[in-house]
Amino acid sequence: MTEQDIFNKLKEVLADSFRLDPEKITLDSHLFKDLDLDSIDAVELAIQLQDFTGRRVKAQEFKDVRTVGDVVTTIHRMLQP
């Protein structure tokens, strides 16, 4: 799965789950400042990412994630063999 594939899926998840305008979701979008997610939203997103990747999302892997691009990069890394 490419980073573009991951971004497209993540964009869909963010738009559907948090009622965000997909046009406003970019790789540079800050999860908390630009998309107005909070800590509860972050937990929900992590659960959905587990469903998407089929892997357990460890808090340590996401501790430095701030932007949509950070999420894409982290998921891409998680999916590597």
Side-chain angles (χ1 to χ4, degrees):
M1 182 175 284
T2 68
E3 289 191 3
Q4 185 62 48
D5 294 335
I6 294 168
F7 173 64
N8 292 338
K9 178 63 177 174
L10 179 59
K11 191 174 181 177
E12 180 182 306
V13 166
L14 288 167
D16 291 345
S17 298
F18 304 106
R19 297 183 186 103
L20 299 172
D21 179 355
E23 297 300 316
K24 295 188 181 209
I25 302 169
T26 69
L27 290 171
D28 294 327
S29 297
H30 191 281
L31 296 171
F32 304 107
K33 294 176 185 172
D34 298 329
L35 301 181
D36 204 29
L37 300 184
D38 59 25
S39 58
I40 294 171
D41 294 332
V43 170
E44 184 179 332
L45 179 59
I47 291 167
Q48 291 185 25
L49 293 175
Q50 286 179 183
D51 293 341
F52 170 56
T53 63
R55 297 186 181 184
R56 188 173 190 281
V57 173
K58 298 175 187 167
Q60 183 178 359
E61 293 174 314
F62 279 86
K63 71 177 183 154
D64 295 323
V65 166
R66 300 290 180 261
T67 67
V68 171
D70 294 340
V71 175
V72 170
T73 301
T74 302
I75 291 172
H76 189 257
R77 197 172 330 134
M78 286 174 58
L79 293 176
Q80 297 307 306

